[in-house]
Amino acid sequence: MSERENILGRIREALQTKAPLPGPHQARGTVMPAVPAIRKWLPPVGTSAEEQTVLFAQNAADLKADFQLFASADELKTALVKVRDAEKWRRIASHGGVLSDFACQALGLPVVLTDRSYHVQEMEQCDVAITECDLLVAQTGGVVVTSRSAGGRALSVLPPHHVVIARRDQLVADLPAAFSRLQQKYAPDYPSMISFITGPSRTGDIERILVLGAHGPKRLTVFCL
Amino acid sequence: MSSFVSNFKALASEKTHDLRHRQFIRTALRGYEAARDRRKGAFRSWESARQSAAETKWQAINHLDAHLVALTAKLEARGTKVHWASTAAQAREIIAQILRDKKARSIIKSKAMTSEEIHLNHALEQEGFTVVESDLGEFIVQLRRETPYHIVFPSMHLTRGEIKDLFQRELGDAPSDNPEDLTMVARRVMRQKYIAADVGFTGANFAIAETGMISITENEGNARLTAALPKTMVTLLGIEKVLPRFADLALFLPMLATAGAGQPMTCYNTMYSGPRQPGEVDGPEEWHVVLLDNRRTELLADVEQRDALHCIRCGACLNVCPIFRNVGGHTYGTTYSGPIGSVITPHLRGLQDWKHLSNASSLCGACTETCPVKIDLHHHLLHNRRNASVSKPAFFERMAYQVFGIVANEPKFWWLAKKIGWLTQPFQKLVKGSALDPAKAWTKTRDLPPMPQETFKDWWENRK
């Protein structure tokens, strides 16, 4: 008999005896909370899009991420150029896409694109990664990227600064909404990696003191058009 | 007394007298406590969230067979190779065989307590593989050739000065004892190791039955890189990590972050559903997922304590435990320390060898109260004590209770015992805690209350 059958056999034998239901609701017939119920317990997110934009900005600031909202493509371009000059970028890594192409053009620097095969060492030398994203989550101040929407698995973590170019309509209120949007968009053919990025890389492993940029980016910038 | 007990007692006594250690741990946890409470308060109802999480894990664990079948079918459908291991030895052999097949030399690892549980690093190093821990805390304890101090904060027992000296000695690079400078040293060292590694190894925080995904939670980005750059990826997954639905993560990810580190969300929560897929630009060509039983099914068979398998390894019960905070993580001598470790270690490694951990408790219940999935931890400690004494009663304890039974059932004996106690108590002070004291194990650290001059019964009879 294979180990699979051994393990499943032991599990089935163990489960012959029922365990009492958890907590004080043992009389209830059903035990799994419905997905919409989850939303009721999570931190509040307000009702209007404006409130949620403000909430996203607050949460992003708490996480030490930079978030800016722009009224026009020109404003976005100006902001990108400003960061480029301030941080003295020389080389960028990015992937093909309407917004990321626009950003790369605006910056006018040599680009390592991940759309075909790329060299990891080359990407590692880049000063910044510019990617698109799937979603912005107001409840957490984080962004959601996938291996399909953001230039693969490494791009959003290898260079020291990650700049996300997003659209307003990508903002969702809370985590349940984020998971349902991902399900609608991809199921059953999910990208092999879906990552909820909530702030720049961090660690507290030395005396519980916060340090940004442990292995991933030291800085996370979210520019939203 | 087994060596596990005597080691525990010796280390516990040493650590509780180490005031610097106690002060240091208390300071390290102070920020966590404040942040955790603030984050719990941000939930509209943390209590309802706990109940929902407990119910969801109940569903997952009590239909574990169906969920594992669904999970592995989905994983395999997208090209993932699934392996099943009943024991730690089987898991080690499966992983070593993958490395041999790939002719791998260097392995980069992200944090995985399951790999500590099966002593993977040691086994792989014996075979000549180079294993590098990439999580900063794990990297530090690996350099010290130590086990993690805490399941979430592996190096929380070390001061910046100790880490600076360690880096200076082992890496020849430590510009200062500033945490930021030290972190950057590790970042530089690790960068090239990711790129050079043949195999990336990860643990897992959740497995989603509905969609066939493994979810990994981390703050540093090391697991992201581990799962992105090497050509082969191996994930070791305890079978209890399963959740039924994709959307369940909407509850579990913020709860894990809040309970574990006082964060709204951990920095990276990443769901993997396969190796590199057609049309994708990077990621491993091969992904192996190893499912580990290692006596979890024995715990599953114990209906009374089955909910211990609901554990999401947030470490919250360690942080609030007065025992953990005083004796420290290494004293336990186990992979999983603190209240959850005391509950499950007897199941995973033998009740008689590890029952002492269930006695090392004040039964204050702080662990049960803080557990985000409502595991009845402090009652399980009592269950373990009961089970241990039923399966192998201690001779002295049995005799003591028999004598007590005889004395307490016979008024004459009881009267005599009281008189003897009253007359001899003044002499007890002279020998208290010394080798001459018959109750030294108890009185060494405790005072007996003085016997009353007059008992209630005497007072009642003489009250006129």
Side-chain angles (χ1 to χ4, degrees):
Chain A
M1 212 163 31
S2 71
E3 284 312 318
R4 179 181 195 271
E5 294 315 309
N6 285 338
I7 293 174
L8 288 174
R10 285 197 296 273
I11 292 172
R12 285 175 186 140
E13 201 187 312
L15 292 180
Q16 302 258 315
T17 325
K18 278 259 161 286
L21 299 187
H25 303 295
Q26 300 186 3
R28 242 164 49 185
T30 162
V31 70
M32 276 266 274
V35 172
I38 294 172
R39 171 167 288 144
K40 288 190 295 192
W41 320 134
L42 296 176
V45 288
T47 44
S48 68
E50 288 74 35
E51 275 179 280
Q52 283 154 12
T53 311
V54 171
L55 181 65
F56 182 90
Q58 270 168 4
N59 285 332
D62 284 348
L63 296 163
K64 306 197 191 312
D66 300 319
F67 170 66
Q68 286 184 56
L69 196 63
F70 302 105
S72 71
D74 282 343
E75 279 184 29
L76 168 63
K77 186 176 171 176
T78 316
L80 278 166
V81 168
K82 207 171 137 196
V83 195
R84 176 196 70 189
D85 296 342
E87 294 198 357
K88 302 193 175 57
W89 293 343
R90 289 172 319 238
R91 206 173 159 82
I92 54 186
S94 187
H95 64 98
V98 178
L99 294 172
S100 54
D101 288 347
F102 171 79
C104 291
Q105 261 171 10
L107 289 166
L109 291 169
V111 187
V112 175
L113 282 175
T114 63
D115 298 286
R116 283 185 211 91
S117 69
Y118 65 93
H119 290 288
V120 177
Q121 294 285 9
E122 260 189 300
M123 189 200 280
E124 214 270 325
Q125 299 297 316
C126 291
D127 303 301
V128 60
I130 295 189
T131 78
E132 299 185 356
C133 71
D134 275 67
L135 300 167
L136 308 177
V137 186
Q139 192 167 49
T140 64
V143 300
V144 181
V145 301
T146 72
S147 46
R148 227 174 278 167
S149 62
R153 292 193 186 193
L155 181 60
S156 50
V157 273
L158 201 57
H161 188 164
H162 179 200
V163 177
V164 178
I165 314 283
R167 294 188 317 268
R168 266 162 227 255
D169 61 1
Q170 289 175 320
L171 181 75
V172 293
D174 57 12
L175 287 165
F179 281 94
S180 101
R181 282 272 280 265
L182 287 168
Q183 233 155 354
Q184 282 163 17
K185 183 169 175 187
Y186 293 117
D189 178 31
Y190 290 94
S192 73
M193 184 209 77
I194 300 171
S195 193
F196 284 65
I197 300 178
T198 313
S201 159
R202 61 195 59 213
T203 185
D205 276 343
I206 300 174
E207 293 192 5
R208 311 291 319 125
I209 291 163
L210 177 71
V211 176
L212 297 183
H215 291 286
K218 289 174 199 163
R219 291 194 62 190
L220 175 68
T221 301
V222 181
F223 281 165
C224 188
L225 201 59
Chain B
M1 194 160 36
S2 80
S3 65
F4 300 118
V5 183
S6 49
N7 283 346
F8 179 81
K9 282 191 173 169
L11 278 172
S13 160
E14 183 192 319
K15 280 291 165 195
T16 40
H17 286 94
D18 182 349
L19 296 184
R20 189 206 68 91
H21 171 264
R22 281 163 62 175
Q23 180 61 40
F24 186 68
I25 297 300
R26 216 174 317 155
T27 312
L29 287 171
R30 199 173 294 143
Y32 159 81
E33 285 161 0
R36 177 203 58 198
D37 290 345
R38 200 167 57 241
R39 285 295 145 209
K40 278 186 183 174
F43 276 66
R44 267 174 285 186
S45 172
W46 174 255
E47 279 312 307
S48 303
R50 286 176 78 210
Q51 181 63 23
S52 289
E55 289 171 358
T56 306
K57 273 309 269 191
W58 186 93
Q59 216 282 347
I61 294 298
N62 285 279
H63 301 86
L64 188 58
D65 53 337
H67 290 315
L68 288 179
V69 168
L71 169 75
T72 51
K74 292 263 180 189
L75 281 170
E76 282 168 344
R78 307 193 70 195
T80 307
K81 299 205 169 81
V82 176
H83 309 261
W84 300 70
S86 284
T87 64
Q90 283 175 5
R92 289 193 297 265
E93 179 51 30
I94 289 166
I95 294 163
Q97 192 57 47
I98 295 165
L99 303 185
R100 281 180 225 127
D101 288 347
K102 292 278 124 201
K103 299 191 168 50
R105 298 170 68 92
S106 59
I107 296 103
I108 188 101
K109 272 183 79 195
S110 70
K111 188 168 162 37
M113 287 311 290
T114 40
S115 83
E116 301 286 341
E117 179 187 329
I118 66 167
H119 304 294
L120 182 67
N121 288 11
H122 181 71
L124 296 183
E125 280 161 7
Q126 292 267 300
E127 287 216 29
F129 299 110
T130 311
V131 184
V132 180
E133 293 285 351
S134 60
D135 173 86
L136 178 59
E138 291 279 343
F139 178 63
I140 290 168
V141 294
Q142 189 190 27
L143 286 179
R144 284 172 61 92
R145 295 166 192 91
E146 249 179 12
T147 55
Y149 179 91
H150 181 293
I151 59 175
V152 177
F153 316 130
S155 61
M156 72 177 291
H157 59 306
L158 299 171
T159 63
R160 58 182 84 188
E162 286 168 311
I163 296 167
K164 172 184 181 275
D165 293 345
L166 177 75
F167 279 13
Q168 191 64 54
R169 194 167 65 237
E170 299 287 333
L171 307 171
D173 189 3
S176 77
D177 66 359
N178 178 322
E180 174 144 20
D181 291 345
L182 292 169
T183 304
M184 291 311 133
V185 170
R187 180 185 170 103
R188 273 199 302 279
V189 169
M190 215 58 77
R191 276 282 149 147
Q192 291 309 315
K193 297 202 191 278
Y194 286 113
I195 297 171
D198 303 307
V199 173
F201 178 95
T202 77
N205 294 88
F206 302 103
I208 309 301
E210 179 189 19
T211 51
M213 291 175 183
I214 303 294
S215 177
I216 300 178
T217 295
E218 47 140 359
N219 269 315
E220 298 183 0
N222 58 316
R224 282 283 311 271
L225 288 166
T226 303
L229 301 178
K231 281 200 161 39
T232 307
M233 173 175 169
V234 179
T235 298
L236 180 62
L237 169 76
I239 53 173
E240 83 285 11
K241 296 281 182 187
V242 77
L243 285 177
R245 301 168 302 199
F246 188 46
D248 290 328
L249 290 171
L251 182 68
F252 279 85
L253 298 181
M255 287 188 79
L256 174 60
T258 296
Q263 290 178 276
M265 277 281 267
T266 316
C267 194
Y268 298 98
N269 286 286
T270 311
M271 292 114 236
Y272 296 97
S273 54
R276 177 180 180 173
Q277 298 294 300
E280 294 185 343
V281 297
D282 55 9
E285 286 158 15
E286 261 183 44
W287 184 28
H288 298 264
V289 172
V290 183
L291 269 62
L292 179 70
D293 177 350
N294 203 23
R295 300 176 81 168
R296 284 164 174 76
T297 45
E298 278 182 39
L299 185 48
L300 190 72
D302 183 341
V303 177
E304 196 173 46
Q305 296 193 42
R306 185 178 289 167
D307 71 348
L309 289 170
H310 296 186
C311 177
I312 56 173
R313 304 280 187 264
C314 66
C317 61
L318 284 63
N319 300 339
V320 299
C321 179
I323 308 301
F324 180 90
R325 294 169 70 121
N326 282 308
V327 307
H330 286 141
T331 300
Y332 287 80
T334 57
T335 305
Y336 305 104
S337 57
I340 186 66
S342 301
V343 167
I344 64 174
T345 307
H347 292 269
L348 302 180
R349 295 173 66 180
L351 178 59
Q352 291 305 328
D353 277 342
W354 298 97
K355 62 182 179 187
H356 58 281
L357 296 182
S358 299
N359 288 312
S361 164
S362 61
L363 299 175
C364 65
C367 46
T368 307
E369 201 178 316
T370 203
C371 177
V373 292
K374 287 190 152 182
I375 301 172
D376 198 359
L377 287 157
H378 71 294
H379 284 111
H380 291 338
L381 295 173
L382 284 172
H383 297 148
N384 280 344
R385 292 184 188 183
R386 179 202 60 206
N387 295 347
S389 73
V390 168
S391 75
K392 195 178 163 199
F395 175 75
F396 177 76
E397 230 172 73
R398 209 175 38 183
M399 289 308 291
Y401 278 109
Q402 265 172 11
V403 171
F404 177 77
I406 294 167
V407 171
N409 273 318
E410 180 54 63
K412 277 201 233 78
F413 290 158
W414 186 247
W415 177 85
L416 191 65
K418 273 193 314 194
K419 285 288 168 219
I420 296 172
W422 193 76
L423 286 169
T424 55
Q425 198 184 26
F427 301 105
Q428 194 269 338
K429 279 199 195 96
L430 302 174
V431 295
K432 181 179 173 319
S434 77
L436 291 170
D437 189 345
K440 124 169 159 266
W442 180 263
T443 55
K444 200 165 56 180
T445 51
R446 297 171 181 88
D447 290 321
L448 278 178
M451 302 260 297
Q453 292 296 317
E454 186 185 32
T455 66
F456 174 76
K457 213 174 145 191
D458 296 338
W459 172 80
W460 185 259
E461 274 164 6
N462 302 333
R463 73 191 186 283
K464 286 167 202 122

